[in-house]
Amino acid sequence: MAPMPAPASSARPLPVTLAVVLSALAILGNAVAFAIESGTVPQFVLISDIVVGVVGIAAVIGLWLRYRWGVILTVLVAARNLIFAVPNTIGGATVAIQLFWAVFALVGAVILVLVLLPDARRSYR
């Protein structure tokens, strides 16, 4: 009789847990950005922020459960946040706004690194 394979570890790797926490904070950051931008940007940007927030919530849930689709959504949301944050970091109206967007960009980059680490990648189903 052949030995049974060892069951996959059900423990969530630390990089995945950190990525979930940072992704949840990024969703809150999107909400803050939405509140800040609401009167100053075109409507399609505001709609984009709402869509990213909803997709971000789904991404956090999928990432927490370690589904591949959750990782894909997380990568898309984090990359979008990073892309949108860089110009605002450089061209923000005040130093406080530039700092907010710089932190937002950094969080997006860290999320991307965390979800793509080998230990994390092995845990997705």
Side-chain angles (χ1 to χ4, degrees):
M1 182 171 207
M4 296 191 61
S9 174
S10 62
R12 185 173 294 99
L14 181 61
V16 175
T17 303
L18 292 173
V20 167
V21 170
L22 290 175
S23 294
L25 291 173
I27 291 170
L28 292 175
N30 271 335
V32 169
F34 179 79
I36 291 170
E37 296 171 338
S38 62
T40 61
V41 297
Q43 188 174 10
F44 76 90
V45 174
L46 297 178
I47 292 170
S48 167
D49 284 346
I50 293 170
V51 170
V52 168
V54 171
V55 171
I57 292 169
V60 166
I61 292 168
L63 189 61
W64 179 255
L65 297 174
R66 292 180 290 145
Y67 288 121
R68 288 199 190 277
W69 60 263
V71 176
I72 293 168
L73 287 179
T74 300
V75 167
L76 292 173
V77 169
R80 182 261 182 201
N81 287 344
L82 183 60
I83 289 167
F84 274 69
V86 170
N88 289 317
T89 299
I90 297 166
T94 66
V95 173
I97 290 174
Q98 289 174 341
L99 183 61
F100 171 83
W101 286 109
V103 170
F104 202 66
L106 181 64
V107 167
V110 169
I111 290 168
L112 288 173
V113 169
L114 287 172
V115 298
L116 297 176
L117 286 172
D119 189 30
R121 290 178 58 179
R122 283 190 292 272
S123 74
Y124 307 134
R125 341 175 197 172

